[in-house]
Structures are given as structure tokens and as C-alpha cells.
Amino acid sequence: MLANQPKWVDSVFKKLNRRERIAQMFFVRAHTNLGKKYSDSVGVVIRKEQLGGVIFFQGGPGRQAAVTNAYQKVSRVPLIVANDGEWGLGMRLDSTISYPYQMTLGAIQNKDLLYRMGIEVAKDFKRLGMQMNLAPDADINNNPKNPVINYRSFGENKYNVANKTAAYMKGMQDGGLLTTLKHFPGHGDTDVDSHYDLPQLNFSAGRLDSLEMYPFKELIKQGASGVMIAHMNIPSLDNTPNLPSTLSKPIVTGILKQQLGFKGLVISDAMDMKGVVKYFKDGEADLLGIIAGNDILELSENSDRAVRLVRRAVRQGRIDMKSIDESVRKILTAKYWAGLNNRDTIATQGIIADVNRKESNALVQELANASVTMLRGKEYIKNMIPIRRTAIISIGVPSVTRFQKEISKGFYNSVYYVLDKDANATQISNVAREIGAFDQVIVGIHDSRSRPANNIPLNAGVKNFIKELSGKNAVFALFANPYNLAGLPGLENSRGLVVAYQKEDYMQISAAAVINNRLVPTGKLPVSILPNYKFGDGL
């Protein structure tokens, strides 16, 4: 994709002096939820330093489009505008669509749905004047305790991860979007979050090559346009003490570029993360990142200082200007591929409607329907009787849920009960006493947090009540990270168990459709939850 360099690239490149070339390698952070003063200050940096790109974080689509127009106006070379949209624009922006998390998508058996999601995400990005998504996540989450990847991964199986990542990546690239596989060589088996410290991977080079790097190797063969390097210390690949992989020439240039033959854009993870600046201060991390072979450094603590340090290193012979020129040509070729050679102002009118399309919302529901996984009770659920007295309980939330309303469409002789995550003994025993009179019990277990992490916040009494219900004729739906099954003993003995991965209404609609026998579940577990459930389980 980035191999043949058109005339535009050549003519732009020739107009840049040394400082301006180096500046193309730096991407600055921007927000549109921090007020005009903040947005303007980023604009000043872009105008003064003429950087290569900008990465937007939190904000809203209308504001971002307006600010993007302002930033492009002051850039002599058009900026690559990027965003972290692993589950679409909704990962960062209000008033936009969030697709299901990658862990949920890992359960889906039909790859075409993920390809279609990639196409939709590309439309959204382009409508907002963005050319690059810092996604998808190609990490294999084989460590259930992973605090930073976890539900952002397609799961624990390298083949499933590679297949799903490929479908999503190709959808985005066919839709005209630059993509970024992350976090090379694989951030899935760590229990340290590199935002706060430097994780260490103590695996052999052989294990890393056959497992962690597998999806990256496969997707490089399939034409990935970008790869992001993780901040991890990996002694088997580079034994320099405390050196993050981002700053390692043997890893970035030696393995990724030379051994795996990757010719696309190599992008560092954020250079303001503690995992990288803890041991390399005052711009040293930026300099080492360029020496290591990264083409783009994102979110340097101080790009002006970084450019100065790189220029000095070129003069001292620590960096060959040839390798910088190569990176800059690659960046300009990516800009050309993404259509930045034709300058365009983003129309701010109607932008909210344009990124909330009917077909996108319909696809979200299709993805949810395809992910729901039944682990127990296929026959039992099939034989439940709609006219029987049915108690429908939602646990972990303060009020009646969409799940309950949907279930009652199929069980019309039903009563709702709600138990919050911190319910006291009296509240629990009241519900327990009342449901004794019902023939059928259907229970939704809901995670109330904004993201589906481990350790679902239910108190001991509530967890105990779930265990008691498991011994009776209850059917359960879990609207939470599947790893939480390990912390909810008893469910493995329940009459019925459906996993719906996350708390959103679209998942509640899908799970209810399965229990109401209106949807045949086809999802398979993307991870193992020992000792009771294995990767690929699903009735």
C-alpha cells in the first residue's frame, strides 16, 4: 500500500528542510472537551512546529470537525488526523456510536460482520476528517488478570485473534482508513498497565515468536498499513535494563522491519506514558524512539525539544539522516494514500446525523446477536413456558432494565425484581422470599461500571444470593466481562447460563431474544475461564 511513491510525495518532500522533515515524525495530542483555550494552544504548537499529525482524544464530533479545519489551515503539509477508535468513534467522542468491544466480537463466528463494522468505522472517521485509526488491537489476552488489554482483545486464541483482527482491519482499509495493529510484539500476557509502569515480559524469544507475534506476522502478510509498538521490557529480545520495546532497535528495526519485513508505518505507543518516560527523561525517550526505527512518535512530552535533540543526534552521527528521510517519505505516502493531497474542508453541518446512521445501529444489533453465547441449559430454556408465573430479576443495577422489559414480551405472566450491587440482607431476603412462589426465575447479572473489567462490584451478600439461585430452577444472563464467571461460583450448576459480555442495551436485547427462543445463539467463548469453561465453548 505504501510502496510506490507518487510525484506529490516527492514534491512535498523536496520543499521540507531538515527540521521540518523531523517534525513530520511527531503527532500531538488534542481534545475538544477542555475548552477553547486548550484547543487554541494545540493550534499554536501545530503552526509553530509544523508537526506531522494530531491525535484527538475526548470531545464531540461537531467541535472536533471545526477544530480539525482550523489545524489543517495552519499546516503547510496536511496533517494526519488520528483517533483511538477500537470500538469506533464512541471510544473517545460523545454523540457517536460505540460498537461492541473486541472481546465480545471474539465470540462471533461470522467474520463478514467484522469486515462490515470496519467499513462503517471508516465512514465515520472520514466524515470527521480523520485518516487513521489507532486500532485494531491484535494482542492475545492469555492472562485473565491483564489490567490494560483484557476486553480490548479478541481473546486468548492466536488463530481467532488473527482472523478477527484481519476482518476488522481489512474493512477499515478498504474503506480508505489507515490502521494500526497494536501493541507489538504483544501486550496480552502482562499484569502491569504500561500507562503507569514498565511491564516486563520474561518469555523466551521462541514463545514470543510462536504466540504473541503470530497475529502481527499474519496481518503484515495481509497488508497491514501500520503497527504500534508497546512499552514493555523484554529481556529475551533486548537485555538492556529497563528499556521499553518502543526504544529498542533490535525489536523495532531488527525484528519488525527486517525479520518480519514490515514496510508500513511504525508508530510508538504514547510517549507520555510512565512505561516509557520513567527511566528515560528529558526527551531521551523521544530520541531513542527515533534511533530505534519508529516512523511516528505520538504524544511526546515536548515535541519541540525532541526535534532539537534529533537534529543534534544527526549532526553527531548518532542517527543517519537517510533513515529519517525514509520515514518521512513513508508518512507522506500514507498521507497521499489517505487522500490528503486534495485539501478539503469538513462540512460541520449535519455531522451528528451523518455519524449516527440507521445501518450502523442495525449492525451493532447484528453483532450483539451473533456474539451471545449459551453455556448451559439449551433444552431447559427451550421448554420454559410463556404463561407460567415468572420472576425476572436484574442484579447489580438500581432500576428495571431493558433485559427485563424484553424478557417480559415472551413471558407475559411475569413480575420484575431489582437488587442493587450493594443490596443489604433485608432487601435480599425479601426478594428471596417472594420469588419462592414463582415457577420460573430468569436473572440478569449486570456490571454497572462504564467498562467491562474483572471483579464485578457485587457485595458478598449479593454474590451469595446468586449462588443460592443457581441451585434452584434459575436461568442466568451475564452482562459483564466473561472472566467474572470465575468469581461467581454456582453458575456452573445453574439450569441455564447465557453470556452477553457487556452491559449495553443491545446486549440485553440479544440475550433476552435467546431466552425467549426468538434467536438461536451462535457465539463461542473467546477465552477460557477455569476450571469450568474453555475457549470455544458454546451450545
Side-chain angles (χ1 to χ4, degrees), residues 62-253:
R63 287 167 290 168
Q64 184 174 310
V67 169
T68 300
N69 283 335
Y71 292 170
Q72 290 289 23
K73 219 175 180 164
V74 297
S75 293
R76 289 198 292 282
V77 179
L79 297 156
I80 286 181
V81 183
N83 178 292
D84 257 315
E86 292 165 29
W87 47 92
L89 293 180
M91 181 161 167
R92 298 291 181 206
L93 303 181
D94 62 38
S95 325
T96 55
I97 290 178
S98 287
Y99 287 87
Y101 298 115
Q102 289 193 189
M103 176 78 73
T104 309
L105 302 173
I108 293 176
Q109 299 308 296
N110 174 5
K111 286 196 319 223
D112 292 346
L113 289 170
L114 277 79
Y115 177 84
R116 280 171 51 203
M117 171 177 149
I119 292 275
E120 291 299 307
V121 169
K123 283 182 198 162
D124 290 343
F125 268 65
K126 293 180 80 173
R127 178 62 185 88
L128 284 189
M130 292 194 282
Q131 297 79 34
M132 178 186 273
N133 192 356
L134 302 173
D137 196 306
D139 296 312
I140 298 167
N141 203 76
N142 44 9
N143 185 338
K145 293 195 176 70
N146 194 321
V148 61
I149 304 303
N150 200 307
Y151 64 88
R152 295 166 58 195
S153 157
F154 286 115
E156 71 178 21
N157 176 283
K158 68 181 185 181
Y159 303 109
N160 186 41
V161 169
N163 283 330
K164 299 285 163 60
T165 311
Y168 183 25
M169 172 190 93
K170 283 178 181 156
M172 289 193 278
Q173 289 187 180
D174 287 354
L177 198 57
L178 295 159
T179 63
T180 314
L181 303 174
K182 58 193 188 187
H183 305 81
F184 186 83
H187 208 315
D189 196 350
T190 157
D191 52 12
V192 173
D193 184 341
S194 49
H195 289 84
Y196 306 110
D197 206 345
L198 180 64
Q200 192 170 56
L201 279 195
N202 289 310
F203 304 120
S204 70
R207 137 96 195 230
L208 290 162
D209 180 68
S210 66
L211 184 65
E212 271 76 8
M213 288 188 216
Y214 176 81
F216 294 95
K217 289 195 291 191
E218 285 303 304
L219 299 174
I220 285 168
K221 284 182 212 152
Q222 293 177 41
S225 64
V227 170
M228 181 184 287
I229 312 285
H231 301 312
M232 293 185 299
N233 180 247
I234 314 172
S236 66
L237 304 183
D238 186 337
N239 59 13
T240 314
N242 300 324
L243 187 73
S245 34
T246 354
L247 312 186
S248 161
K249 194 166 186 175
I251 293 174
V252 178
T253 298

Side-chain angles (χ1 to χ4, degrees), residues 394-405:
S394 271
I395 294 177
V397 283
S399 54
V400 171
T401 60
R402 183 69 187 262
F403 175 66
Q404 289 171 294
K405 291 174 186 164

